[in-house]
Amino acid sequence: MHSSSHKHRPELHVTAETGVLEAPAGAVFSGDALHVFHQFRPRPAEGSRWAHQVASEATYDWDICDDVVVPNQGLAQRDGAEQGTANTDANVGTNVGEVDILAGAAVPVGLGAELFFVVTHAVEDASAEDALSAEIPHGQRGPRTFTIERAEIPNLLEATEVSDDPSLPDPHVRRLGPIDIDDSACPVENLVTPSVIRHDDPAHPNEGWLMVALSLTGEADAQIVALRSADRQHWRVLGPIELPAEAALRPGRPFAPRIVSMVDADSSTRRDVLFVTFPGGAGESDEVAGYVVGNLSGTSFSVTSPFTVIDFGHDFTRPRVIDHTTPVMFGLVGAHPSLDGQWANCLSAPRYLSLVDGELFQDVVGAPAAVRTFSDYAFIWSAQLDASEGRVDVDVTDDSGQVIATISYTSDAVSVTRLGVDTRTAPLQDADSDTLTVFLDGPVCEVFADGGAVTLTSAIPAHSQISDIDVRATGGAKIISSMQTAGRHLMRMQAGLTSPEEQERYMTESLIADRDVAEGIFDED
């Protein structure tokens, strides 16, 4: 009844239509529509490309659009005058022998957007197959070079049209070629994972655009650098971002730096929030993503809040942030996808961020309505608790009755345990009210505690669909109030309507009851 594809590809979260999703790439708002771009690989031997999905009216109701940037295998460089042609022309030969199109950033421009992405090429004497990122150990440079390029989508509304041939890139996208980089003040090697935002800095009044990127050095080392630009095409390297010891960064090579500027609701002060992912330590996930709060001027980052883990679950990493009035964050769920179809990766739910006294809070806006309207098997449960004593446990069961995950909440910690053996735990601070939200969508479990001050995101392995939850309060803990919302199929199951005949009977009885009420016919018994 449930295909492998259905089990391992969630209904409400962004995932790859085919192949595997490798990273969030960028996202922008255009009016009420949310456009999300992600890096994915259609097949193991093919290069990565950028996909495009849009939620036009309601978040979680995703429509798949044409891919926006794909690697070309052109044999010759065209004349420079032909730069900026449409995607269908540019991918014939604007760049020679591209291997992968890797993640970067997107910024809104007028009615459209500009995309900043990384193009890889094989180094001399290396084959394109050897230079595929899928063939290179994570965190290593490999036999390839990296170039940051730009593309523009003049009108995002037009880019939601879908062509008959899904292998072709969107013809509305114009590739603009590589950006210009002046690194005379600070030489850099290959730059990757660019994050681009508008950012005022009195030290650079005429360069209102900021780029934060990784400069790869050697085979496996990298440092976070800052660049400035007035026009998004010509960039000047300022140098490595200087973070003082009180930033308390994790050890190891950094990955996927992102930056966003926010107003702290407590002090009304504008702060910069720098997101960085590091290798995990013993007892942790492979990668740990977190953030530092402060202010960036030039290359100096003054810290007001040290490095804080953004998500304590098994599988959240490499967040991307939309620089918006209320910033929105996506993270990658599952850093290491399986190309055999067993786990395709996805993006986390879009999380609306607020900054309060140097601490980020995450909120999933509209999730209950989306579960009820757009899903068959998703489930969300929210509660206000009194856990000053004891604990509350939420067991997630599949349709065979097996407990596949347990979420536990006490006064000082919240945890997620997969299949009874693999646990991740997040510490809790004193909160005005103890709240817990569990959002389940296929193989994805997202937990939000104490108003989104703490989150845990985990991929839940299962051989059958999620069916229900069992909630227990023990040791003096209490559930003050709770609310649950289930997908359409789960609601029918809970109502005992598991066959077409039972559903038809229910609809007939409902119509008769409605008629009797309208005609004033009531059963006196």
Side-chain angles (χ1 to χ4, degrees), residues 56-346:
S56 299
E57 297 181 359
T59 308
Y60 303 100
D61 185 18
W62 300 105
D63 291 321
I64 297 174
C65 308
D66 287 337
D67 299 337
V68 290
V69 190
V70 307
N72 78 76
Q73 302 298 322
L75 300 179
Q77 178 86 17
R78 288 189 169 184
D79 184 85
E82 296 194 33
Q83 291 284 346
T85 54
N87 225 336
T88 48
D89 292 330
N91 279 302
V92 172
T94 302
N95 294 284
V96 179
E98 296 174 353
V99 177
D100 284 313
I101 305 293
L102 304 182
V107 297
V109 178
L111 297 176
E114 280 191 9
L115 313 179
F116 293 81
F117 53 94
V118 175
V119 178
T120 71
H121 296 81
V123 299
E124 189 176 356
D125 299 328
S127 67
E129 290 76 14
D130 291 337
L132 282 170
S133 58
E135 302 297 326
I136 299 170
H138 179 58
Q140 294 190 15
R141 176 174 168 175
R144 52 184 175 162
T145 61
F146 304 80
T147 304
I148 297 177
E149 295 198 15
R150 294 166 66 213
E152 67 172 353
I153 306 175
N155 190 318
L156 282 166
L157 182 60
E158 294 177 350
T160 60
E161 300 171 1
V162 180
S163 64
D164 295 332
D165 186 349
S167 66
L168 294 177
D170 189 333
H172 301 96
V173 180
R174 294 168 53 86
R175 289 186 60 169
L176 305 177
I179 63 172
D180 301 318
I181 297 176
D182 176 4
D183 66 347
S184 56
C186 178
V188 295
E189 298 187 33
N190 292 282
L191 295 179
V192 297
T193 65
S195 172
V196 178
I197 63 169
R198 288 187 180 275
H199 187 273
D200 294 330
D201 186 346
H204 304 279
N206 298 319
E207 297 173 312
W209 290 92
L210 168 68
M211 178 186 292
V212 172
L214 279 183
S215 174
L216 303 183
T217 57
E219 179 60 26
D221 295 329
Q223 59 182 353
I224 305 171
V225 297
L227 301 87
R228 282 278 174 181
S229 174
D231 59 4
R232 302 186 302 278
Q233 173 59 30
H234 303 87
W235 293 86
R236 185 168 60 91
V237 180
L238 303 184
I241 293 181
E242 302 161 4
L243 287 151
E246 55 264 31
L249 295 182
R250 307 273 300 215
R253 176 201 192 276
F255 293 91
R258 304 282 105 182
I259 194 166
V260 68
S261 183
M262 303 178 63
V263 174
D264 192 306
D266 185 65
S267 63
S268 299
T269 304
R270 181 162 291 279
R271 300 295 188 193
D272 297 321
V273 184
L274 178 66
F275 298 82
V276 191
T277 299
F278 290 98
E284 296 180 320
S285 302
D286 291 343
E287 297 178 354
V288 175
Y291 64 93
V292 180
V293 180
N295 290 99
L296 177 65
S297 179
T299 60
S300 177
F301 196 100
S302 58
V303 174
T304 57
S305 297
F307 185 85
T308 303
V309 175
I310 190 70
D311 190 290
F312 291 84
H314 296 78
D315 295 296
F316 184 96
T317 185
R318 305 177 213 170
R320 300 291 193 271
V321 185
I322 307 173
D323 188 25
H324 193 60
T325 305
T326 300
V328 178
M329 178 181 70
F330 289 88
L332 175 64
V333 183
H336 304 292
S338 167
L339 288 167
D340 61 6
Q342 293 302 301
W343 175 234
N345 277 0
C346 69

